[in-house]
Amino acid sequence: MSRSVDLYGTAYGNFAAEVLAQVRRDTYGEDFGQSSWVTGPEYRRFFQLLELAAADHVLDVGCGSGGPALFLAREAGCRVTGVDVSEAGIEAGPTLARKAGLDDRAHFRRADVREPLPFPDGAFDAIVCMDAMCHLPDRGRLLGEWRRVLRPGGRLLYTDPVVVTGLVSNEELATRSSTGYFEFCPPGVNERSIGQAGFELVRAEDVTENEVEVSRRWHAARQQRAAELIRLEGEETFAGLQQFLATVHRLTSERRLSRFAYLGRKPGE
């Protein structure tokens, strides 16, 4: 059985460390503070699919350190509210927003999505959730909350990086889920859940290749800086994260676990 590994606490708590900035640059090419499988070109394409306009207000669920929310605000020109359960992540967001001169367009608050979202009905024009849906329990209820806080005609786009598309051993599942709570699902579950929550499913797209490449580069970038990272994280955490990333790469490159993007629309416009 794999031990738990604190991927997000490590990433957010040490966000400003230069060695982690170097790892992000090598991993993503374009570092905007992400700790998921999304890259700059992919995220920009998602903005286009969402048809974002400068007047839109976007909710970023699972915003982490806030970097992707600021990237969205800067690239699309819209307002963004980021929510995350991680204290370390949420604390980093406002500081980054001030440094980027975006504190008038990007706001952050801690929220546990197991509870009702702390926003009124119809507050947002769009919702994004990058690679965090697999960490959130009670998906049907959560999608219902998203529908509530979206205006009529509002759009959602989320990625699920652990859709089971092949045979996966119990040991592989344990390692893949060693960084926290996970829900793995077979193809079709997300599509049905979106429809049952009252959304129109506009698009479901296989975007596994991004996870294949990001996991490979992330593992290699960390390995290249092993000594520095061990001093920062400790040997056990470093080894656990390397095993995690190697397992992600193997499972996705063999398409036994796949990553999909789902685009939905709330009826009404």
Side-chain angles (χ1 to χ4, degrees):
M1 180 66 69
S2 294
R3 295 181 179 179
S4 295
V5 182
D6 189 8
L7 170 63
Y8 301 107
T10 299
Y12 303 153
N14 300 309
F15 184 83
E18 176 57 26
V19 65
L20 289 185
Q22 292 170 356
V23 167
R24 289 194 302 271
R25 287 194 291 270
D26 285 359
T27 298
Y28 300 107
E30 188 175 7
D31 168 26
F32 49 89
Q34 66 269 56
S35 58
S36 62
W37 314 112
V38 70
T39 57
E42 181 182 61
Y43 213 12
R44 289 188 183 93
R45 188 171 68 83
F46 289 165
F47 300 162
Q48 293 173 353
L49 291 176
L50 283 164
E51 302 174 352
L52 294 179
D56 286 342
H57 188 186
V58 182
L59 177 65
D60 182 357
V61 178
C63 66
S65 64
L70 297 176
F71 181 79
L72 195 164
R74 184 171 60 250
E75 292 280 327
C78 51
R79 288 185 298 142
V80 183
T81 295
V83 295
D84 200 285
V85 73
S86 167
E87 287 281 6
I90 289 299
E91 287 173 2
T95 301
L96 292 175
R98 283 193 298 274
K99 288 181 178 178
L102 293 169
D103 46 336
D104 60 331
R105 280 191 278 153
H107 300 92
F108 302 91
R109 62 189 298 176
R110 186 180 183 278
D112 188 339
V113 296
R114 291 174 296 184
E115 301 173 359
L117 290 169
F119 306 108
D121 296 357
F124 299 97
D125 300 285
I127 294 175
V128 295
C129 182
M130 293 295 101
D131 298 320
M133 183 63 96
C134 57
H135 302 306
L136 308 177
D138 200 355
R139 192 164 309 193
R141 184 204 60 80
L142 179 61
L143 285 167
E145 271 294 284
W146 289 7
R147 189 180 190 281
R148 179 184 68 78
V149 301
L150 276 175
R151 66 163 176 80
R155 295 86 65 199
L156 68 86
L157 192 151
Y158 74 85
T159 54
D160 186 342
V162 291
V163 178
V164 181
T165 50
L167 297 175
V168 186
S169 73
N170 62 322
E171 291 183 356
E172 289 170 325
L173 282 177
T175 300
R176 183 61 181 86
S177 58
S178 61
T179 57
Y181 177 84
F182 273 81
E183 289 187 352
F184 298 84
C185 73
V189 169
N190 283 298
E191 292 89 337
R192 288 196 301 275
S193 297
I194 289 168
Q196 289 167 355
F199 289 101
E200 172 197 356
L201 178 65
V202 178
R203 185 186 188 106
E205 179 182 351
D206 188 329
V207 289
T208 309
E209 193 56 35
N210 237 56
E211 190 173 1
V212 173
E213 282 303 303
V214 168
S215 59
R216 179 185 64 80
R217 294 197 298 260
W218 198 346
H219 184 278
R222 287 176 51 81
Q223 197 63 47
Q224 185 180 349
R225 299 167 177 84
E228 282 184 86
L229 288 170
I230 288 171
R231 285 195 293 272
L232 183 69
E233 302 169 349
E235 289 188 12
E236 186 174 329
T237 295
F238 175 81
L241 288 176
Q242 291 303 88
Q243 183 184 19
F244 166 79
L245 291 168
T247 301
V248 171
H249 181 69
R250 183 174 67 254
L251 290 171
T252 53
S253 61
E254 295 173 1
R255 295 305 194 271
R256 293 188 284 137
L257 286 181
S258 297
R259 178 174 179 257
F260 282 81
Y262 303 93
L263 174 65
R265 186 181 300 274
K266 179 178 175 177
E269 272 190 10

